[in-house]
């Protein structure tokens, strides 16, 4: 697929950066003219991915998170959230609803939420090397499209 535009940013795994990531992706996605519902879904999925990296990848330290956004052909928004933290031992198990390694204050619904709000979700992780989450969402064309 052809890449029509992209962004890339790096930030520390501080919880305050989750809101920054949400707004940056929303501003980038605005060029596709999403509805408020589509934009809300995308922001929620990004929040979950960044929060997962912050809470699970780096539970006892600060680390690097890289967020990339790409606009692909056919109005497809692709968001990648990458960390270099502790990784996920069993991705399939981690993708099950209610599964968490973050203690009882965590819901265990992060991947489930990402999957329900985006068209595609791919998770690649290796213990001790980090995790990459790639999400795609096609934005419906309106008013004759671009």
């Amino acid at each position: 697929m052809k890449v029509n535009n992209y962004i890339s940013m790096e930030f520390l795994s501080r919880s305050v950066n989750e809101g920054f990531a949400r707004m940056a992706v929303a501003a980038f996605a605005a060029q596709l003219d999403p509805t408020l519902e589509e934009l809300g879904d995308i922001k929620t999925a990004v929040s979950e991915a960044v929060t997962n990296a912050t809470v699970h990848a780096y539970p006892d330290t600060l680390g690097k998170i890289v967020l990339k956004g790409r606009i692909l052909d056919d109005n497809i928004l692709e968001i990648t959230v990458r960390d270099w933290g502790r990784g996920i031992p069993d991705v399939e198990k981690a993708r099950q609803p209610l599964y968490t390694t973050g203690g009882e204050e965590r819901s265990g619904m992060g991947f489930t939420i990402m999957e329900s709000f985006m068209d595609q979700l791919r998770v690649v992780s290796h213990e001790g090397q980090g995790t990459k989450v790639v999400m795609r969402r096609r934005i419906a064309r309106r008013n004759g499209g671009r």
Side-chain angles (χ1 to χ4, degrees):
M1 262 186 185
K2 182 180 166 209
V3 177
N4 297 310
N5 200 2
Y6 71 91
I7 59 167
S8 180
M9 64 184 84
E10 177 181 316
F11 48 90
L12 283 174
S13 60
R14 293 187 185 279
S15 60
V16 296
N17 287 331
E18 177 268 330
F20 169 72
R22 282 172 59 95
M23 297 312 293
V25 168
F28 180 68
Q31 66 193 285
L32 294 173
D33 193 26
T35 64
L36 289 177
E37 182 179 349
E38 288 170 328
L39 204 52
D41 290 353
I42 291 162
K43 287 166 58 176
T44 300
V46 167
S47 290
E48 292 296 332
V50 171
T51 297
N52 273 2
T54 300
V55 171
H56 300 291
Y58 306 110
D60 303 317
T61 186
L62 287 176
K64 176 173 76 169
I65 297 173
V66 170
L67 183 145
K68 294 182 178 186
R70 299 192 317 166
I71 305 285
L72 307 173
D73 284 341
D74 201 26
N75 258 26
I76 294 173
L77 174 68
E78 179 183 83
I79 304 295
T80 301
V81 177
R82 170 87 165 93
D83 69 67
W84 286 263
R86 66 183 184 180
I88 303 170
D90 186 340
V91 171
E92 290 309 310
K93 187 174 185 181
R95 289 182 71 163
Q96 297 302 310
L98 305 179
Y99 178 82
T100 184
T101 60
E104 57 185 61
E105 72 277 358
R106 311 306 311 173
S107 72
M109 295 297 290
F111 287 132
T112 302
I113 290 168
M114 287 179 242
E115 198 163 36
S116 67
F117 287 154
M118 302 298 276
D119 297 329
Q120 295 177 13
L121 173 68
R122 185 169 49 99
V123 181
V124 177
S125 188
H126 302 285
E127 275 191 277
Q129 298 177 26
T131 301
K132 179 167 72 169
V133 174
V134 182
M135 305 175 282
R136 285 186 176 180
R137 172 81 181 249
R138 185 179 176 281
I139 304 302
R141 294 182 191 270
R142 280 170 284 291
N143 300 327
R146 291 188 188 352

